[in-house]
Amino acid sequence: MKIIIAGGDGFCGWPTALYLSKKGHDVAIIDNFSRRKWDDELHSNSLTPILTLKKRVEKWKELTGKKIEVFDGDLNHYDFLSQVLKHVSPDAFVHFAEQRSAPYSMIDREHAVFTQVNNVVGTLNVIYGIKEFVPECHLIKLGTMGEYGFPNIPIEEGYIRIQHEGREDVLPYPKQPGSMYHLSKVHDSHNIMFACKTFGLRATDLNQGIVYGLYTDETALDTALTNRLDYDGVFGTALNRFIIQTAVGHPLTVYGKGGQTRGFLNIKDTVRCIELAAEHPADYGEFRVFNQFTEEFSVLDLAERVQKVAAEEGMPVSIDHLKDPRVELEEHFFHAKHTKLEKLGLEPHLLTEDVIRDILHTVINYKDRVIPENILPTVNWR
Amino acid sequence: MKIIIAGGDGFCGWPTALYLSKKGHDVAIIDNFSRRKWDDELHSNSLTPILTLKKRVEKWKELTGKKIEVFDGDLNHYDFLSQVLKHVSPDAFVHFAEQRSAPYSMIDREHAVFTQVNNVVGTLNVIYGIKEFVPECHLIKLGTMGEYGFPNIPIEEGYIRIQHEGREDVLPYPKQPGSMYHLSKVHDSHNIMFACKTFGLRATDLNQGIVYGLYTDETALDTALTNRLDYDGVFGTALNRFIIQTAVGHPLTVYGKGGQTRGFLNIKDTVRCIELAAEHPADYGEFRVFNQFTEEFSVLDLAERVQKVAAEEGMPVSIDHLKDPRVELEEHFFHAKHTKLEKLGLEPHLLTEDVIRDILHTVINYKDRVIPENILPTVNWR
């Protein structure tokens, strides 16, 4: 299968590209390297040193004989995107190429506008590009579990059957996103749903939970293939951040009570979910939604799990409850369905103490690279 | 009350500005005259000749002694908007200033991207401008009934109580918009809902139906105050378009079977609804939604009503069922609630044969201005 990975230089995109390449697919990457530029803007870095994409794919070729073609450009530039689509003629287009940090989108008005325009226009261009040049291509779009917000009823996978005043319909699940970034993903979802219905495109929206972990079998082959790892208050996500805080002896930073409950998955499951979606494409005209996570934890749960492993490893660490910089419920009902990917064959890598320990051991090697002033949250929702 | 009308040169904005000015409010208009520019782009025109906004407000001053300040600029330019907000310090900000044609948004990719960026960024700027400079200002935002699409259950005003697996919540009503334009309004609604919750803003989203009519008491005072009237396949809406087709002896153009049912209201009710929203502002932190229409009709109903009046006036006209250029259901369930504005005091101007007759008589005066090749739809959704 010919597969484009847009955002293939990023934390999820890079291991996905390698995994699909290893599985025998013909993989091409589109990236404009904006994730690296945001590190420069924020005076931040990946905990792990990462090579340029050019060097990464050269090493991959050297180790496996497999070629990954790279297109350096921006989905917001339609002429560029058109050329790539015509050149590659992909069977599947995996779209990771968005600004994906909620705090980044909440820095100020300009970052909010940038995030929404970048993400929405990029996705509109992909929609029109597929319609115009490769109408049979299956769009696999990364959404987020954060699109749903935290309703007081169980969260379904994209749609919900509603009975109302003696009538019934299956309707898009109501969305209550909690940041300008999460809003951009909701906008994308509505746009893609319309495109499927109106233009006959086929798309899978993967509402992904919070990803943890670092290595996949492929990125572990050589240090030149190492994946990026974020720990800062803007791009770092819970669990990875807690483990890195442990490594440098920083208290684990839980926002508020820590009762915020989220869906989580291992990066090893992310890459497999993309494969499953690609192998089982949506029908023409279908906007299919999968919830892509494997387990639910509260943030405090996670911190306590990390704390326990840390103590066993002789690295005791405390938990700091910071005033929550976000506007969110610190305790709430949360139960979300996630059966569709498992029905297609996903076998989850669950979060055991050994998994935490493995990540911790890896992270310790790089702890001197941590920039301490980036650890605490600096962006306030209000 | 100090009220800004953004889009105050347009079909709804201009009569709203005059009406609120007459009621003693201190009215200022923001407009970038893009509606007039789109006429140039499409080689189209208003059926009625309209003066420049400068001349319109001069005449208003001359007739009533009331001053309407005009700010020529674009909401997408935040520095401009900031200056106006600081200068006027409005109590209410009425936001009509969007690209409001579904067919225009469906011309091609560039028009889709333009519509979404123009509308979404304009509204984001208004949100951040109010937050930064006038946090007590009440945002009155024009949405559209088209945000809801056509579910098989009754449409509520913004929110719906859902029981699911033994639990219950009141959630945003699911949205199924039918064009890139309608999608932009859904994006706006989500963005504003978030801003109310997160920044403590107060906003009323008016999901307006299709507006018909031309004159209000104020625009009828002098031909210099005449409102614009659209009849073309891109900006002309049902009823007004049918009446104008009658005047020029063109068959009434019903798309498909004509079973498409929509909410309608008279322009005289539009201006009153804005006043009611302004007089009864939302609470801080509240995102309030009103469905702003007074009656439901199918498109074929409307055509037949116009046909009946036309026959009585000695102007027989036929009805042409064109192949529907849109992707939409030609027959469907539709029942939408619209009680909140009536509870605040709205007394609807219903669509009687006399109302159709009055509009027809007015329109006949201008029929020589019709550009015949603009009447038929030229934009296809597919």
Side-chain angles (χ1 to χ4, degrees):
Chain A
M1 200 180 283
K2 285 180 286 182
I3 305 179
I4 286 179
I5 313 285
D9 188 47
F11 172 67
C12 290
W14 172 240
T16 301
L18 295 189
Y19 179 78
L20 295 175
S21 173
K22 185 177 172 200
K23 288 300 193 89
H25 297 293
D26 195 357
V27 172
I29 286 175
I30 295 177
D31 211 295
N32 68 350
F33 309 109
S34 52
R35 181 64 195 85
R36 296 174 188 248
K37 291 168 196 157
W38 298 325
D39 271 347
D40 293 342
E41 176 193 346
L42 300 169
H43 308 290
S44 190
N45 62 346
S46 164
L47 179 78
T48 47
I50 53 173
L51 296 188
T52 62
L53 182 58
K54 186 164 179 291
K55 288 187 180 160
R56 288 171 147 189
V57 298
E58 280 169 4
K59 176 59 77 174
W60 181 249
K61 179 89 187 299
E62 182 190 321
L63 291 173
T64 66
K66 293 178 187 298
K67 177 163 195 262
I68 295 178
E69 201 167 5
V70 171
F71 299 91
D72 174 358
D74 191 328
L75 300 185
N76 276 254
H77 301 153
Y78 190 66
D79 291 348
F80 160 77
L81 175 62
S82 304
Q83 292 301 320
V84 176
L85 290 174
K86 282 188 276 190
H87 179 77
V88 175
S89 193
D91 303 296
F93 188 105
V94 181
H95 181 11
F96 287 107
E98 300 205 323
Q99 194 298 94
R100 65 105 182 134
S101 158
Y104 189 87
S105 76
M106 296 300 292
I107 291 174
D108 57 17
R109 183 195 64 86
E110 289 186 359
H111 287 79
V113 168
F114 166 77
T115 299
Q116 293 210 355
V117 171
N118 179 71
N119 293 2
V120 169
V121 175
T123 298
L124 283 175
N125 283 348
V126 170
I127 287 169
Y128 277 91
I130 290 176
K131 172 179 186 280
E132 188 170 2
F133 302 111
V134 283
E136 296 182 4
C137 176
H138 176 213
L139 172 58
I140 299 171
K141 166 69 167 53
L142 272 290
T144 161
M145 286 301 296
E147 293 185 38
Y148 297 112
F150 300 96
N152 194 38
I153 59 173
I155 293 169
E156 299 292 331
E157 300 194 63
Y159 301 90
I160 181 170
R161 181 176 300 277
I162 299 178
Q163 267 127 12
H164 189 54
E165 299 186 354
R167 301 185 63 89
E168 180 177 293
D169 202 355
V170 175
L171 295 174
Y173 198 97
K175 301 291 179 75
Q176 301 180 101
S179 75
M180 288 291 173
Y181 153 72
H182 290 98
L183 283 156
S184 76
K185 292 281 195 183
V186 171
H187 306 340
D188 283 342
S189 293
H190 281 102
N191 283 342
I192 300 169
M193 189 183 322
F194 171 78
C196 290
K197 186 172 156 186
T198 305
F199 304 146
L201 303 194
R202 51 184 183 170
T204 301
D205 201 12
L206 297 171
N207 285 334
Q208 188 168 244
I210 299 171
V211 186
Y212 61 82
L214 168 58
Y215 284 114
T216 59
D217 292 344
E218 293 72 47
T219 67
L221 276 179
D222 191 289
T223 53
L225 303 178
T226 298
N227 198 9
R228 66 172 299 124
L229 195 62
D230 300 307
Y231 61 92
D232 62 276
V234 176
F235 279 92
T237 50
L239 194 62
N240 275 356
R241 198 177 69 225
F242 292 154
I243 295 173
I244 293 166
Q245 289 172 336
T246 300
V248 299
H250 191 285
L252 310 187
T253 52
V254 167
Y255 299 165
K257 293 177 184 166
Q260 304 91 328
T261 301
R262 304 288 186 266
F264 287 81
L265 76 163
N266 194 304
I267 184 74
K268 293 177 182 176
D269 290 335
T270 292
V271 302
R272 172 69 173 142
C273 289
I274 302 296
E275 181 186 31
L276 287 168
E279 285 175 348
H280 304 86
D283 290 334
Y284 292 105
E286 182 189 11
F287 177 69
R288 184 175 63 170
V289 183
F290 295 158
N291 292 346
Q292 179 169 315
F293 71 98
T294 61
E295 297 177 277
E296 294 177 1
F297 301 105
S298 78
V299 172
L300 185 58
D301 275 349
L302 282 187
E304 289 172 349
R305 281 169 179 247
V306 172
Q307 190 179 41
K308 179 163 181 285
V309 173
E312 290 165 7
E313 296 291 302
M315 309 177 68
V317 67
S318 64
I319 295 176
D320 263 12
H321 289 266
L322 306 183
K323 183 166 164 24
D324 196 337
R326 306 188 179 199
V327 175
E328 63 182 1
L329 297 172
E330 295 179 13
E331 290 177 313
H332 56 86
F333 172 75
F334 182 76
H335 177 59
K337 310 290 173 69
H338 54 101
T339 60
K340 292 187 183 177
L341 281 160
E342 285 163 37
K343 275 184 195 154
L344 290 182
L346 177 65
E347 294 173 12
H349 295 78
L350 298 180
L351 182 62
T352 61
E353 290 187 7
D354 280 345
V355 169
I356 294 174
R357 193 173 292 113
D358 281 352
I359 304 173
L360 179 60
H361 288 165
T362 307
V363 160
I364 287 169
N365 295 334
Y366 298 111
K367 68 176 186 177
D368 292 345
R369 288 176 49 88
V370 169
I371 304 171
E373 53 267 41
N374 288 343
I375 292 178
L376 292 176
T378 51
V379 181
N380 192 297
W381 259 229
R382 293 165 185 88
Chain B
M1 200 180 281
K2 286 181 286 184
I3 305 179
I4 286 179
I5 313 285
D9 188 48
F11 173 67
C12 290
W14 173 240
T16 301
L18 295 187
Y19 179 78
L20 295 175
S21 173
K22 186 178 171 196
K23 288 298 192 90
H25 296 293
D26 195 356
V27 172
I29 286 175
I30 295 177
D31 211 294
N32 68 349
F33 309 110
S34 52
R35 180 65 195 85
R36 295 175 188 248
K37 291 167 196 157
W38 298 326
D39 271 347
D40 293 342
E41 176 192 346
L42 300 168
H43 308 291
S44 188
N45 62 346
S46 164
L47 180 77
T48 48
I50 53 174
L51 297 187
T52 63
L53 182 57
K54 185 164 179 291
K55 288 187 180 159
R56 288 170 146 189
V57 299
E58 281 169 4
K59 176 59 77 175
W60 180 249
K61 179 90 189 295
E62 181 190 320
L63 292 172
T64 65
K66 293 178 187 299
K67 179 163 194 266
I68 294 177
E69 200 166 6
V70 170
F71 298 91
D72 174 357
D74 191 327
L75 300 185
N76 276 253
H77 301 152
Y78 190 66
D79 291 348
F80 160 77
L81 175 61
S82 304
Q83 292 300 322
V84 176
L85 290 174
K86 283 188 275 189
H87 178 78
V88 175
S89 193
D91 302 297
F93 188 104
V94 182
H95 182 10
F96 287 107
E98 299 205 325
Q99 193 299 93
R100 64 105 181 134
S101 159
Y104 188 87
S105 77
M106 296 299 293
I107 290 174
D108 58 16
R109 183 194 65 85
E110 289 187 358
H111 287 80
V113 168
F114 166 77
T115 298
Q116 293 210 356
V117 171
N118 180 70
N119 294 1
V120 169
V121 175
T123 298
L124 282 175
N125 283 348
V126 171
I127 287 169
Y128 277 91
I130 290 176
K131 172 179 185 278
E132 188 171 2
F133 301 112
V134 284
E136 296 182 4
C137 177
H138 176 211
L139 171 58
I140 300 171
K141 167 66 167 54
L142 272 290
T144 161
M145 285 300 295
E147 293 185 37
Y148 297 112
F150 301 96
N152 195 37
I153 59 173
I155 293 170
E156 300 292 329
E157 300 194 62
Y159 301 89
I160 181 170
R161 180 176 300 277
I162 300 178
Q163 267 127 11
H164 189 55
E165 299 186 354
R167 302 184 62 91
E168 181 178 293
D169 202 354
V170 175
L171 295 174
Y173 198 96
K175 301 292 179 72
Q176 299 180 102
S179 76
M180 288 291 174
Y181 152 72
H182 289 99
L183 282 157
S184 76
K185 293 281 194 183
V186 170
H187 306 340
D188 283 343
S189 294
H190 282 101
N191 283 342
I192 301 170
M193 189 184 320
F194 171 78
C196 290
K197 186 172 156 186
T198 305
F199 304 147
L201 303 194
R202 50 185 185 170
T204 301
D205 201 12
L206 297 171
N207 285 335
Q208 189 169 242
I210 299 170
V211 186
Y212 63 83
L214 169 59
Y215 284 114
T216 59
D217 293 345
E218 294 72 47
T219 66
L221 277 178
D222 191 289
T223 53
L225 303 178
T226 297
N227 198 8
R228 67 172 297 123
L229 195 62
D230 300 306
Y231 61 93
D232 61 275
V234 176
F235 279 92
T237 49
L239 194 61
N240 276 355
R241 197 177 71 225
F242 292 153
I243 294 173
I244 293 166
Q245 288 172 336
T246 300
V248 298
H250 191 285
L252 310 187
T253 50
V254 168
Y255 299 165
K257 293 176 184 168
Q260 304 92 329
T261 302
R262 304 288 185 267
F264 287 82
L265 75 164
N266 194 305
I267 183 74
K268 293 177 182 178
D269 290 335
T270 293
V271 302
R272 173 68 174 143
C273 289
I274 304 295
E275 181 186 32
L276 287 168
E279 284 175 348
H280 305 86
D283 291 334
Y284 293 105
E286 183 188 10
F287 176 70
R288 185 175 62 172
V289 184
F290 295 158
N291 291 347
Q292 179 167 314
F293 71 98
T294 60
E295 296 177 277
E296 293 177 3
F297 300 105
S298 78
V299 172
L300 186 59
D301 273 351
L302 281 187
E304 288 173 348
R305 281 171 178 245
V306 171
Q307 190 179 42
K308 179 163 182 284
V309 172
E312 289 165 8
E313 296 290 302
M315 310 177 67
V317 67
S318 63
I319 295 176
D320 264 12
H321 289 265
L322 306 183
K323 182 166 165 26
D324 196 337
R326 306 186 180 201
V327 175
E328 61 183 1
L329 297 172
E330 295 179 13
E331 289 178 312
H332 56 86
F333 172 75
F334 183 76
H335 177 58
K337 309 291 174 69
H338 54 100
T339 59
K340 291 188 183 177
L341 281 160
E342 285 163 37
K343 276 186 193 151
L344 290 181
L346 177 65
E347 294 173 11
H349 294 78
L350 297 182
L351 182 62
T352 61
E353 291 188 7
D354 281 345
V355 168
I356 294 174
R357 194 172 290 113
D358 281 353
I359 305 174
L360 179 60
H361 287 165
T362 307
V363 159
I364 287 169
N365 295 334
Y366 297 111
K367 69 175 185 178
D368 292 345
R369 288 175 49 87
V370 168
I371 304 171
E373 53 268 41
N374 288 343
I375 291 178
L376 292 176
T378 51
V379 181
N380 193 296
W381 258 230
R382 293 165 185 88

